[in-house]
């Protein structure tokens, strides 16, 4: 039986910090990290150590105001997902997580969206748009859970 391949995707900053807090969930698995800051690769080396066998890919930073960069980011993520063929994609958001979830679902990959803990009053825009496409859609706040998703299963990060 081969090792489970996990792709962990998040924008740099708070989304990335929250994603790394989930690392114990994929201990011992084949992990590919994807983010928008190439410098995070060095931070992973310090935090994860070289013995834990992981890969890192950087994609261009993009948001809803930079449409051409979003298209570029989409194609970068498509290439990475096709290259690594993850069994599961987990993300805490924003744009790269959105694209990873949508691409993953097209390829039959299991997907998990964990909405940012910073979104205490309402769901994130990305979470609202992609949550229904994820196999598991979680919120960090019980009052944001709804019957049609996201689910609240306790504070996970």
């Amino acid at each position: 039986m081969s090792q489970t391949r996990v792709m962990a995707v998040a924008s740099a900053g708070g989304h990335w910090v929250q994603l790394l807090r989930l690392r114990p969930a994929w201990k011992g698995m084949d992990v590919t990290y994807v983010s928008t800051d190439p410098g995070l690769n060095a931070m992973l080396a310090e935090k994860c150590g070289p013995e834990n066998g992981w890969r890192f890919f950087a994609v261009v930073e993009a948001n809803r105001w930079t449409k051409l960069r979003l298209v570029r980011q989409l194609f970068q993520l498509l290439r990475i997902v096709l290259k690594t063929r993850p069994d599961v994609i987990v993300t805490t958001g924003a744009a790269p997580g959105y694209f990873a979830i949508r691409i993953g679902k097209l390829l039959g990959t299991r997907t998990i969206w964990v909405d940012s803990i910073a979104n205490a009053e309402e769901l994130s825009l990305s979470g609202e748009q992609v949550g229904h496409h994820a196999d598991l859609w979680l919120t960090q706040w019980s009052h944001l859970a709804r019957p049609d998703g996201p689910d609240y299963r306790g504070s996970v990060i």
Side-chain angles (χ1 to χ4, degrees), residues 95-147:
Y98 172 88
F99 288 134
I101 294 276
R102 295 303 304 265
I103 293 165
K105 288 308 296 174
L106 287 173
L107 299 173
T109 304
R110 305 257 322 147
T111 57
I112 303 169
W113 179 279
V114 181
D115 212 59
S116 173
I117 197 168
N119 295 86
E121 301 302 319
E122 61 187 9
L123 295 173
S124 67
L125 177 63
S126 298
E128 279 283 357
Q129 292 177 348
V130 80
H132 294 287
H133 299 281
D135 292 307
L136 180 59
W137 180 20
L138 299 173
T139 178
Q140 301 290 302
W141 303 98
S142 60
H143 64 278
L144 294 180
R146 303 185 299 235

